Amino acid sequence: MALIHSEHEALASALFTTNRVKAAPVKLDMLRMRHGLARAVVINSGVANVAMGAQGLRDAAEMARCAATAIGVPAEQVLVASTGVIGARLPMPRIRRGIRAAAEGLAHAGLRDAAEAIRTTDTFAKTAVATADVDGCEVTVVGIAKGSGMIEPNMATMLAFLMTDAAVAARYLARVLRDAADAGFNRLSVDGETSTSDMALLFANGVARNRELRSPRSPGAAAFAAASERVAIALTRDIARDGEGATKLVTVRVEGAANRADAERAARRIANSVLVKTAIFGGDANWGRILQTVGAARVRLDLDRAAVRLGGVTVFRGGASAGPAARRRAARALQASEVEVAIDLGAGRASAQLWSCDLGYDYVKINAEYTT
């Protein structure tokens, strides 16, 4: 269990999964976020509270009520998140005890404990922080996230909670979250699967006492937006690095595309290709896998002008292999814990970047035994 509480009234903005199968907490929060106010979010890991019918909704609402009572705020200002196995009921007696314990343990220095509490198959807790000068005031943005498998966000990410002491108007806060998600969370794929429980929340309580940021033209708005993006990108990279069974953080870069849509499509084909991901796991500089999956993406591609780089080493260019020596150098580069896969499509000037990971033996083991 984790509990995040703002001691002061806070505005909040949220993004939720686009999956048609939505967790009960997502449904509850979507209704509550119409008011744009939230003082707390309570999170459990282990059980996702998905596809449990009316009982799931009642349990989500009870989680909010229990947290509201424990910290003394209105229940409608408490949001809920759950992560874990789909199709199991929340163990409500344990949940109630956990909420009380979390409320008693609230502490200003508790961020890492909260990040630890929301883990499922994650191998480490994920936190990030950034500061910005906003019109002469130092403001802080902090965030925690969890995610390891069932990850290809179409709005935000698995579970991500960002908090700031900046004073921000509601409409601009929503824009900052959307832009941060586009810069980070939507640039991520572990296995091409979109979770039923994905959400990203951004709380702003204004205690930094800066002049309220109302639009991108407000003094300090650009610095605040950049800090929010840095937090989102740091969390995104950690999630990719910690993909289930992963051994490598993979940056996928597409250049020379005819347009942004082609660049995005090609990048996602590479990031989600099982053949590419397993080759990277094995350190196999098999550039043919890259060309194959991009060619199947039906994007504009001029093979005679195209180039493929693995770990910074050009292995294909001008319509032909760069040779066995280049392939050997690339294979050595692919042994690193952080690698880049890049392709120039030779068809234009558009580009795109994603973060992903390799696919190892443990991914199969984890997901073959997830509920057993």
Side-chain angles (χ1 to χ4, degrees), residues 197-271:
S197 305
D198 289 355
M199 69 175 68
L201 305 176
L202 173 56
F203 298 90
N205 66 11
V207 299
R209 299 192 180 280
N210 59 285
R211 280 194 291 176
E212 185 180 56
L213 299 174
R214 303 188 63 82
S215 78
R217 294 182 297 278
S218 298
F224 171 68
S228 301
E229 287 190 8
R230 289 198 300 274
V231 169
I233 289 171
L235 294 173
T236 297
R237 286 171 56 86
D238 274 351
I239 292 168
R241 191 188 309 277
D242 196 29
E244 286 179 342
T247 64
K248 299 165 187 174
L249 169 63
V250 180
T251 300
V252 176
R253 193 184 306 278
V254 174
E255 301 162 343
N259 51 58
R260 183 62 183 267
D262 273 10
E264 291 280 347
R265 192 176 301 115
R268 292 193 183 276
R269 286 290 302 214
I270 295 168

Side-chain angles (χ1 to χ4, degrees), residues 17-23 27 194-196:
T17 183
T18 57
N19 196 314
R20 295 286 294 274
V21 179
K22 288 179 169 57
K27 294 178 181 179
T194 298
S195 170
T196 59

Side-chain angles (χ1 to χ4, degrees), residues 88-160:
R89 187 182 173 191
L90 290 172
M92 290 308 296
R94 294 173 62 189
I95 293 285
R96 296 184 197 102
R97 291 194 297 272
I99 290 173
R100 289 194 293 269
E104 291 169 0
L106 280 169
H108 292 128
L111 193 70
R112 182 162 290 278
D113 288 340
E116 183 72 27
I118 64 176
R119 287 173 46 195
T120 50
T121 55
D122 305 61
T123 64
F124 62 89
K126 300 166 181 67
T127 65
V129 60
T131 59
D133 185 301
V134 176
D135 196 28
C137 297
E138 183 179 78
V139 303
T140 303
V141 183
V142 299
I144 65 173
K146 66 81 52 185
S148 192
M150 198 188 291
I151 295 174
E152 186 181 41
N154 291 317
M155 48 86 248
T157 187
M158 304 35 63
L159 293 182

